Amino acid sequence: DVKVTQSSRYLVKRTGEKVFLECVQDMDHENMFWYRQDPGLGLRLIYFSYDVKMKEKGDIPEGYSVSREKKERFSLILESASTNQTSMYLCASSLASTGTGELFFGEGSRLTVL
Amino acid sequence: AQKITQTQPGMFVQEKEAVTLDCTYDTSDPSYGLFWYKQPSSGEMIFLIYQGSYDQQNATEGRYSLNFQKARKSANLVISASQLGDSAMYFCAMRESNNAGNMLTFGGGTRLMVKP
């Protein structure tokens, strides 16, 4: 069964802390994505990667960075967490070339920054 | 400008009735794809249905169908014979052909509540 796994379902961090959100996929997908979900705003793209060590900014990259050292793993980093980064974070992956471009999602990581 | 607009923040439907969730989109790309995802309270995003811009027929998947009106730039999701398990957030999304990495742009979502 295809799977995207996010390391933590729930995290509570303090303002200023460095936060790592990890995502692993077992489908050999080239593309990986980090989205942020907020009520009324839907999902907004933070960063994506189409290959190892490659990354592209999405719509809201400020305050975030990413790392993709291996094809199956895509990490989201909050260098200094702030309260306005309290949100649900969703990781997704997809094949580089496919009929639909469907994204496969992880279960999400709900981050609270105090 | 919003690329994907879902104008219904929340909706109720009676069990066993049909319901339509609205989605309008904005693109100048002649080649694009439209998606609907379901997100139950558990949080995972479940892919429901896909419509390509060049597809001649409306997409259907079981109880889900996509009412694709290209000239109006709308891609409404129709759920027939609603079930209690259909209660969830529903997101419309679009992929444009010039999007690097197959990224999707999502709407704000509609929360559907099915009444017994």
Side-chain angles (χ1 to χ4, degrees), chain A residues 9 31 33 35 37 40-43 45 48 50 90 94-96 98-103 105-107, chain B residues 33 35 37 39 41-47 50 89 91 95 100-109:
Chain A
R9 290 296 305 273
N31 302 323
F33 309 83
Y35 283 89
Q37 181 181 357
L41 299 178
L43 280 70
L45 184 66
F48 69 96
Y50 52 87
L90 290 163
S94 73
L95 283 168
T98 181
T100 68
E102 173 193 349
L103 298 191
F105 283 87
E107 291 185 316
Chain B
F35 301 76
Y37 281 83
Q39 186 183 44
S41 56
S42 52
E44 78 270 27
M45 295 281 283
I46 302 167
F47 167 70
Y50 168 82
M89 284 291 293
F91 292 97
R95 174 180 50 82
N102 279 344
M103 57 172 277
L104 298 189
T105 302
F106 285 82

